[in-house]
Amino acid sequence: MIIILKPECQPKGPEAEGLLVHLNQYPDVKVKFVEMQGETRALTEIHLIGSTNTIPTETLEHLPGVERVVRVSSKYRQIGRHDIALADVGFNYQGLEFNQDSLHIFAGPCAVDTPANTEALFRFLQSVGVSTARMGAYKPRTSPYDFQGHGPACLPWVFELAGKHGIKVIAMEVLKESHIEEITSALAEAGNPTGVMMQIGTRNAQNFELLKAVGSQQEFPVLYKRGMGLTLEESLNACEYIASEGNRKIIFCLRGAKTQLGLPHRNLVDFIHVPVVKRLTRLPVCVDPSHAVGSKSQGPDGIMDIFHATAQGIVAGANMLLVECHPDPKTALCDAQQSLTFDEFITLMQDVNMIRDLYLKRVEAVKSAGLRSLTR
Ligand code: PEP
Ligand code: MN
């Protein structure tokens, strides 16, 4: 059960105190305060954990300071939507709004390689008006003999170059807790010229200790990539681990599922789950067509499968795109076969703009047909 406080009520204010006194009569129920800064307002929720069946909703609703009481039927206690208005969800990071209505494109190489390539990428992104990048310093590779990333050694110059070219956020994978510390201190030493979205890769999708580690810090948002062989439910529960430690700044990323049924693609594209995650949770949803498709194959019409997969995600309402792009893909140290050139990326952006417009028109069409209020 969740009690949502009125916007003007503080978590330590008299109304909250009064509620706590009232709740004392239910000794089996644990009370947890959850505070969130939504886009339009701060939100304080009181989560009641335990046997809440006997607590009458109506009594609570009439107590001072209570905006709404929600019985949580789903297991996604923290990330679940619970019918809370869309305006209340999402987060701001580095001056950018991330929510279920926004769209951000994160582009860059699979792995950081040279300062020259990194600067070329940032300069290019800046020239096309993109201030969000992706790149890995720590790479979990299938073979121990493949390039594992430059690690902490590259962080100072990556962050400095990002700041120089107006890059506000870099999505960067972390494989263990010490990577969070390395990134935090490298950013601080560089004077925080940019921000980092901590990426949990598909291989760590159920590394619960790592999930708790990114969840127990509040500074960096988390990009959680669905486990390649996990059900949606299992991956959403993994996000619940992050959120239940206190960090609600989470983006859920679909990146394809590993099955022979997806061949010849690297994974089976699962972007039809965009609306599913958006209705089950409050999380913005990202799609990663690069790792889903895994190649730059084109159809007879000339359109790359990566573009088609992107379009499927965007037309379904995705809020973020994670795409691999490199100044000279054939020299990329990781995932060269799926990295777009700058020219290809420009064409992809044009495609994304067209498809995004189409998505917005679709939303308008169902709204004017009166279908907007159908059960989520
Ligand atoms: C990545 O995005 O760099 C990556 C390794 O992807 P995934 O974890 O989805 O395989
Ligand atoms: Mn990659």
Side-chain angles (χ1 to χ4, degrees):
M1 189 177 240
I2 296 178
I3 304 171
I4 300 165
L5 293 189
K6 288 185 175 152
E8 65 274 15
C9 296
Q10 302 301 318
K12 295 215 159 43
E15 296 88 353
E17 292 295 331
L19 270 163
L20 285 178
V21 170
H22 178 85
L23 292 168
N24 274 342
Q25 62 183 298
Y26 305 104
D28 295 339
V29 173
K30 247 177 70 190
V31 177
K32 186 174 173 189
F33 276 78
V34 177
E35 289 170 64
M36 277 177 294
Q37 183 54 54
E39 240 192 289
T40 52
R41 56 173 272 197
L43 191 66
T44 304
E45 296 178 354
I46 304 177
H47 289 224
L48 306 186
I49 302 154
S51 39
T52 54
N53 294 355
T54 53
I55 308 181
T57 312
E58 305 73 46
T59 318
L60 288 179
E61 265 166 355
H62 287 106
L63 292 177
V66 175
E67 177 170 303
R68 197 139 44 102
V69 179
V70 186
R71 279 207 185 271
V72 186
S73 50
S74 86
K75 41 200 158 308
Y76 311 128
R77 178 174 287 275
Q78 304 279 340
I79 63 171
R81 173 171 281 281
H82 312 314
D83 273 343
I84 291 164
L86 207 55
D88 296 337
V89 302
F91 59 90
N92 182 301
Y93 181 61
Q94 293 283 113
L96 302 176
E97 293 295 341
F98 294 88
N99 57 46
Q100 287 196 337
D101 288 330
S102 60
L103 177 61
H104 296 280
I105 303 181
F106 283 59
C110 186
V112 175
D113 48 23
T114 65
N117 279 339
T118 305
E119 179 150 31
L121 175 89
F122 290 153
R123 186 182 288 122
F124 165 69
L125 291 180
Q126 189 173 35
S127 76
V128 293
V130 173
S131 61
T132 41
R134 62 142 294 141
M135 58 186 53
Y138 313 95
K139 294 305 303 176
R141 303 302 300 279
T142 304
S143 163
Y145 310 116
D146 287 339
F147 176 61
Q148 308 284 312
H150 288 310
C154 68
L155 298 179
W157 52 263
V158 166
F159 295 152
E160 191 209 311
L161 290 170
K164 181 174 164 194
H165 293 286
I167 300 297
K168 294 182 181 153
V169 187
I170 303 173
M172 185 173 272
E173 182 165 354
V174 289
L175 307 180
K176 54 180 178 177
E177 194 167 353
S178 60
H179 295 166
I180 307 172
E181 289 147 22
E182 286 170 6
I183 289 173
T184 310
S185 54
L187 270 177
E189 273 160 38
N192 292 308
T194 188
V196 169
M197 187 177 281
M198 300 274 167
Q199 189 172 314
I200 299 295
T202 195
R203 290 160 189 81
N204 277 311
Q206 277 190 323
N207 180 341
F208 299 119
E209 295 309 312
L210 181 63
L211 297 172
K212 287 192 228 166
V214 290
S216 57
Q217 57 81 36
Q218 304 266 342
E219 187 179 350
F220 304 103
V222 179
L223 179 65
Y224 173 88
K225 298 191 83 174
R226 177 188 187 165
M228 62 174 99
L230 298 186
T231 62
L232 199 53
E233 192 177 320
E234 287 164 333
S235 280
L236 290 175
N237 269 312
C239 286
E240 195 68 19
Y241 263 92
I242 303 171
S244 61
E245 291 294 319
N247 190 354
R248 307 279 284 257
K249 296 183 213 149
I250 306 168
I251 296 181
F252 189 88
C253 181
L254 296 164
R255 45 80 71 207
K258 194 175 176 75
T259 154
Q260 302 271 347
L261 301 178
L263 292 173
H265 293 151
R266 187 167 169 179
N267 289 287
L268 183 67
V269 181
D270 55 353
F271 298 169
I272 188 60
H273 280 165
V274 168
V276 181
V277 179
K278 284 174 78 171
R279 73 168 166 266
L280 287 177
T281 77
R282 314 175 190 190
L283 309 181
V285 181
C286 173
V287 291
D288 173 350
S290 303
H291 292 89
V293 170
S295 82
K296 297 210 284 183
S297 302
Q298 296 164 292
D301 53 13
I303 301 176
M304 281 185 207
D305 295 7
I306 286 181
F307 286 31
H308 282 297
T310 303
Q312 287 172 13
I314 303 292
V315 87
N319 307 112
M320 176 171 157
L321 179 64
L322 190 71
V323 64
E324 287 184 344
C325 171
H326 190 281
D328 182 20
K330 61 183 181 308
T331 65
L333 297 176
C334 183
D335 284 347
Q337 78 292 345
Q338 67 197 31
S339 293
L340 302 181
T341 62
F342 290 168
D343 284 347
E344 288 161 350
F345 178 75
I346 288 172
T347 313
L348 178 73
M349 275 182 65
Q350 290 163 351
D351 212 26
V352 166
N353 289 336
M354 279 189 275
I355 309 288
R356 175 71 177 174
D357 282 349
L358 181 59
Y359 167 70
L360 295 173
K361 281 189 191 136
R362 297 175 71 208
V363 173
E364 277 311 307
V366 290
K367 208 189 271 176
S368 49
L371 296 179
R372 176 84 194 211
S373 62
L374 281 180
T375 317
R376 286 175 183 278

